[in-house]
Each structure stands twice: as C-alpha cells, then as structure tokens.
Amino acid sequence: MASCRAASPKAAIVVAVCIPLILSSSSVGPATAAMFCGDCDIICGASCDGSGVTSACGDKCDGQSPAEACDNCLRVTKRKCLTSCADYCSTHCT
C-alpha cells in the first residue's frame, strides 16, 4: 500500500474527511475518549462509506464518465481511506 505522503491529492482529501469522522463518530465520542482497538474496523468502515469517498471521485462519477471509471475510483479511494483510517486507529486505540 502507498504511504500517505505518496497518495494522490484526492486521497488526501478523503483522509482529511475520514479522520475527523473517526474522531466525531458517535461510537467513539469526543476526541478525548478512548478508541477501542476492537472497534477500528467498525469505525473505519462507517467513516469510509460516507460522502467524502464519493466526492473524491466526483469527476469520474459525474454521469458523463464511464461507470467503470467511477467504480474503480470509488474502490481505490475507499481502500486508501480504510488503510489510512486503520493505521490511525491502531496507533491511537487502547
């Protein structure tokens, strides 16, 4: 997997959307609350299914591009979001 530094600008946008969602998620509570390691998959799954992933692929999912281009973008962007989120969660969980 690519590191965050090697990610595309769109992936950076997704990460910027995912991390605040993780911290503000009702399953986590305030940013000062403990993040439980067993919940990382749930937290990241919910965070990376949101509009941030869809908006990152807006130019490919505009209805004018081929559906395959949109599907591929959504798949890749979600995978990058899940990887970044899981890395963040695992380093900050208890």
Side-chain angles (χ1 to χ4, degrees):
M1 297 283 158
S3 70
C4 290
R5 287 181 290 264
S8 71
K10 288 182 183 178
I13 292 169
V14 170
V15 171
V17 170
C18 289
I19 299 304
L21 288 174
I22 293 166
L23 296 176
S24 66
S25 170
S26 61
S27 64
V28 174
T32 58
M35 294 175 70
F36 298 104
C37 296
D39 294 338
C40 286
D41 288 341
I42 295 166
I43 294 166
C44 292
S47 296
C48 294
D49 276 338
S51 61
V53 172
T54 305
S55 65
C57 293
D59 62 330
K60 292 186 176 53
C61 298
D62 58 4
Q64 298 176 8
S65 300
E68 183 178 317
C70 177
D71 292 342
N72 287 338
C73 181
L74 292 173
R75 186 173 33 258
V76 168
T77 304
K78 183 175 179 177
R79 185 174 60 233
K80 287 179 181 179
C81 178
L82 287 171
T83 300
S84 296
C85 179
D87 289 346
Y88 179 86
C89 191
S90 66
T91 59
H92 293 87
C93 68
T94 57

